[in-house]
Each structure stands twice: as C-alpha cells, then as structure tokens.
C-alpha cells in the first residue's frame, strides 16, 4: 500500500531517529552531547534558518564553528554538508508532504548543475580560508542591498505564487545552470551557496514569488548536500571528529529544519525578507569582527563586492526594463 503524502515526514522522522538511536547506543557515543553541546545549540538556530530561508544551515554552522568554536574550515565545511543532508532533506520531505509549492522547472535545472559544480569544486577548487567565506559574505551582502532596494524602495512585486513557470528561453536556463554550478563549487568549500545563488536567480532574473522560491532553494541545497556527503564518504574525505559533531546534532536538525519550513510557509513576504536581511547583516558583522582582515583580505572583499554589485545591478536594470515594457503594453491595451 502506498504511503499517504501527509504521513511521509513523520514516518521518515521515526525511521531516522530509530536508526540514530541504534547507532549512537551501539557505538557508545552518548557522551557527544556533553562534549559538543555548543554545536547542538548552534544547530537549534542553524536548522531553523536552513528550512525557512535560502541560506542553508551551513551559513550558520560554518562561521560559528570556525570563528567561535575553533573548528577547522575543512571540518566545518564537511559538517555543514553532512548535517544539511539530514536537516534539509527532512525539510524537503516536509515540504512535499504538506504540498508546499516549489518551482519544479528550477529544480530540474539547478540540481544537476549544482552537483556538477560541487564535484568539480571538490576536485579542482583549493581557495584557502578565509577567502571562500569572504566571497560568500560579500555576495550575500550585495544581494541583501539589492533585495532591500527592490522590495522596499522600488516596491516591485513578484508573479503570483500560483502562476506556472517555464523558462522564457534556452539562454535563461543556461544562466541558472551556470549560477547553480558556481553555487555548487562554493558549497564544496563552505558547505553552502547554491541555495542563495539559485534564490538570486529566481528573484532577480525571473521575478518569481519569494514564498515559493525559498522552499525551492531548500530542496536544491538538500540534494547538493546529500551528494557532497556521499562524495566525501565514498572517497574517505570525512574527518574523524566530524562524525561526533554530526551525531550530536542529527535529532535537532531533523525537527528544526522542517519547523523552519512550516513557519516560512505561514509568514508574509515582508517578514520573510526582513528575516533574511537580518541573517545577512549578522553574517557580515561577524565576518568583519571575527576574521582577521589584512590588506589582501580587504582587497578580495572589495573586488567580490564590486563584481557582485555589477552583476546584480545588471539584473535589476534588466528587470526594470522588462517591467517598463510590460507597463507600456498594458497601457496600449487599455487604450484599445
């Protein structure tokens, strides 16, 4: 008998927790909670962010682990992928079970491209710390400014949440694939990124609705995280301490990320965007305060911000031009 959709998440949660309980009991690892309680507390917030925003749990775990808890960047990156493969996958099952709408056309393009980018990034990209984090922070900061301008200053409205979406042309599909591949490569060094870049594409390239774009980005990051976890597990790239970090956080994220998805589905656009801007601002402040910044790091941040600003500025200009053309067309139609 096929499972009914509403029971999908509860059954998956029961199976996951049952397996986790068996594993932690057999291995005698109950002490991980006392030893790594600070990581469990971090993921209380991180898992909620993972399910409710286009920034994966790694956007919280990576900076806190590296800047506050003294975990190496490599271990923090691997942990982010491993824990997101649990939390964001459970959030994706919750999204599916509750029929929360996503953009399927985006998923079909973004997930394969992100996987390719992640694989290439794992093999080829060796950008030393803290440059990957600085890149993510500056791109997110510029995106936050662009989001504020479009949402509160220009007051642009997205398409209807129930509107069907298809790519307007092959070039737009390639555009998304390139962004997803770049995001996958960034995720191979920081543990997150593809969800944010796909969200940028959905909002500024296609004018899609934020409340539907966020769960789409969650599902995308879940798939990339599972691939990254599997890739590192099969190639022996998982650092030994990370397994203990992971065990200490599994039950928390299995509930926290779906809770975030549930809350996001019930909030209005203004509340969702405000929460995202607060998260971006907190990441920027923590980066400036906690990462030692020399001349080379500051130059890298400025170049990253300039490149992201030029790109997002071009998208804003393109979207404004498209809106003007639509407005003229509607005016002409009214005159007829």
């Amino acid at each position: 008998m096929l499972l009914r959709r509403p029971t999908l998440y509860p059954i998956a949660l029961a199976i996951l927790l049952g397996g986790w309980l068996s594993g932690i009991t057999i291995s005698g690892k109950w002490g991980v909670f006392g030893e790594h309680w600070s990581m469990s507390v971090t993921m209380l917030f991180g898992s909620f962010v993972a399910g409710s925003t286009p920034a994966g749990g790694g956007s919280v775990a990576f900076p806190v682990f590296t800047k506050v808890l003294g975990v190496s960047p490599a271990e923090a990156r691997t942990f982010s992928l491993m824990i997101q493969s649990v939390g964001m996958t459970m959030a994706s099952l919750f999204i599916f079970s509750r029929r929360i709408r996503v953009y399927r056309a985006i998923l079909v393009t973004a997930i394969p491209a992100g996987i390719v980018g992640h694989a290439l990034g794992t093999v080829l990209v060796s950008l030393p710390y803290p440059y990957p984090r600085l890149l993510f922070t500056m791109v997110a900061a510029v995106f936050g400014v662009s989001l504020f301008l479009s949402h509160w200053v220009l007051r642009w409205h997205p398409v209807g949440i129930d509107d069907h979406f298809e790519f307007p042309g092959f070039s737009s599909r390639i555009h998304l694939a390139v962004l997803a591949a770049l995001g996958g490569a960034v995720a191979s060094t920081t543990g997150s990124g593809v969800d944010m870049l796909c969200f940028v594409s959905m909002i500024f390239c296609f004018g899609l609705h934020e409340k539907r774009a966020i769960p789409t980005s969650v599902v995308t990051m879940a798939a990339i995280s599972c691939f990254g976890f599997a890739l590192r597990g099969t190639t022996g790239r998982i650092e030994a301490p990370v397994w203990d970090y992971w065990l200490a956080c599994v039950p928390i994220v299995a509930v926290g990320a779906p809770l975030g998805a549930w809350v996001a589905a019930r909030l209005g656009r203004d509340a969702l965007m405000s929460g995202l801007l607060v998260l971006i601002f907190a990441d920027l402040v923590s980066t400036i305060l906690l990462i030692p910044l020399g001349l080379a790091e500051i130059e890298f941040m400025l170049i990253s911000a300039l490149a992201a600003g030029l790109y997002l500025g071009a998208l804003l200009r393109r979207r404004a031009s498209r809106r003007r053309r639509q407005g003229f067309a509607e005016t002409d139609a009214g005159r007829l």
Side-chain angles (χ1 to χ4, degrees):
M1 180 177 178
L2 294 176
L3 293 175
R4 292 190 302 167
R5 183 177 292 205
T7 65
L8 180 60
Y9 167 69
I11 290 175
L13 179 63
I15 293 173
L16 172 69
L17 294 181
W20 173 81
L21 281 171
S22 299
I24 202 170
T25 301
I26 293 173
S27 61
K29 291 284 188 176
W30 283 102
V32 297
F33 288 106
E35 187 175 355
H36 303 301
W37 65 268
S38 56
M39 297 177 180
S40 301
V41 171
T42 299
M43 293 316 300
L44 279 172
F45 177 65
S47 60
F48 184 84
V49 167
S52 60
T53 73
S59 66
V60 175
F62 191 90
V64 173
F65 278 38
T66 56
K67 300 170 188 175
V68 180
L69 301 182
V71 176
S72 73
E75 291 180 356
R77 179 270 326 282
T78 303
F79 170 81
S80 295
L81 292 170
M82 290 173 63
I83 206 63
Q84 286 171 171
S85 70
V86 176
M88 298 187 82
T89 296
M90 296 303 288
S92 298
L93 292 176
F94 180 83
I95 287 168
F96 179 73
S97 68
R98 292 303 181 96
R99 299 184 183 274
I100 297 174
R101 301 198 62 173
V102 298
Y103 290 109
R104 295 180 183 273
I106 297 292
L107 295 176
V108 169
T109 298
I111 290 177
I115 287 175
V116 171
H118 190 89
L120 293 176
T122 301
V123 175
L124 301 177
V125 176
S126 59
L127 194 63
Y129 183 80
Y131 293 103
R133 191 65 214 175
L134 296 179
L135 176 63
F136 179 86
T137 294
M138 297 315 297
V139 170
V142 174
F143 167 63
V145 172
S146 302
L147 188 63
F148 176 81
L149 290 174
S150 66
H151 188 73
W152 277 282
V153 178
L154 301 175
R155 295 191 176 278
W156 289 346
H157 294 285
V159 301
I161 192 170
D162 295 323
D163 288 1
H164 179 68
F165 170 74
E166 292 291 344
F167 287 100
F170 182 72
S171 61
S172 61
R173 187 185 295 271
I174 294 298
H175 189 170
L176 173 65
V178 170
L179 277 184
L182 178 61
V186 172
S188 71
T189 60
T190 67
S192 60
V194 65
D195 41 0
M196 179 69 78
L197 289 182
C198 286
F199 187 75
V200 167
S201 179
M202 285 185 277
I203 299 305
F204 291 124
C205 292
F206 308 120
L208 301 181
H209 201 289
E210 297 92 345
K211 285 179 66 65
R212 197 168 164 188
I214 286 176
T216 303
S217 70
V218 170
V219 176
T220 302
M221 192 67 242
I224 306 305
S225 297
C226 289
F227 174 78
F229 186 3
L231 180 62
R232 281 165 175 76
T234 55
T235 57
R237 292 172 179 245
I238 298 178
E239 300 82 358
V242 179
W243 286 108
D244 287 350
Y245 308 160
W246 184 72
L247 285 172
C249 298
V250 163
I252 293 170
V253 302
V255 176
L259 176 62
W262 179 80
V263 171
R266 282 156 178 76
L267 292 178
R269 290 179 64 235
D270 285 350
L272 284 174
M273 296 304 99
S274 297
L276 179 57
L277 290 179
V278 169
L279 180 65
I280 291 173
F281 180 74
D283 178 70
L284 177 62
V285 171
S286 67
T287 294
I288 294 174
L289 294 180
L290 298 178
I291 292 182
L293 299 176
L295 180 60
E297 288 79 12
I298 293 175
E299 289 178 346
F300 182 81
M301 292 175 70
L302 292 175
I303 293 172
S304 300
L306 177 61
L310 291 173
Y311 171 71
L312 287 171
L315 291 183
L316 286 173
R317 183 177 179 182
R318 179 182 176 186
R319 186 176 174 188
S321 176
R322 185 185 305 121
R323 287 174 62 87
R324 283 196 298 269
R325 289 196 301 269
Q326 291 173 348
F328 292 150
E330 291 173 359
T331 300
D332 292 340
R335 289 173 180 171
L336 293 175

